[in-house]
Amino acid sequence: MCSSDLVLVGPPSALTAALEQEGWPANVAHLGAAATPADAVAQTDIVLSVSNCREGFSRTTLEAMAAGRPVVAYDRGALRELVLDGHTGYLVPFGDVETLAVRLGWLAGDASVRAAFGEAGRRRALEHFSRARANAALASSYRAILPPAATRLAQANDV
């Protein structure tokens, strides 16, 4: 594949079936489902998160960031908490396909920006959304709401 290729990773759907029937453009490939999320992300340089629903939390986006991939996403739902616009990727208004294409084009055309955004995303994922960070936040919550004896028990169990 070349740098202008669009790779779709995921199981077949009604949309991919319709596109298959029409005939894929020469620069588009549907690779089907990947064995793991890491395998899917490894096949990309940029990850799009353009769901039609408001994501409560986009694990795909966070996995992409942790893997050092910049993300282009709709500015809605939890994606605002993950992607820092112009720093780890781009957020575009929901349904604004023209802006989405422009932002994607900028990233596709500049390897140094992709690398910088990818590294910034990786740092953000590790600093703010790591298992250690989640455990610390959970322990802090327990300390705030539980009586002292329960807090000591939780600390003894490494919660």
Side-chain angles (χ1 to χ4, degrees), residues 8 11-25 30:
L8 303 174
S13 67
L15 178 59
T16 59
L19 290 170
E20 184 90 22
Q21 195 169 31
E22 290 179 25
W24 294 104
H30 181 228

Side-chain angles (χ1 to χ4, degrees), residues 7 13 30 47-48 56 92 95 115 133 145 147 154:
V7 176
S13 67
H30 181 228
V47 172
L48 297 178
V92 300
R133 180 76 178 226
I145 62 174

Side-chain angles (χ1 to χ4, degrees), residues 110-153:
D110 194 330
S112 64
V113 172
R114 282 195 313 274
F117 280 21
E119 181 55 33
R122 181 166 169 69
R123 279 193 314 270
R124 179 163 173 72
L126 294 174
E127 290 171 11
H128 297 281
F129 303 100
S130 68
R131 180 176 289 156
R133 180 76 178 226
N135 287 346
L138 184 60
S140 176
S141 296
Y142 282 158
R143 284 190 292 279
I145 62 174
L146 293 176
T151 301
R152 284 191 301 276
L153 178 61

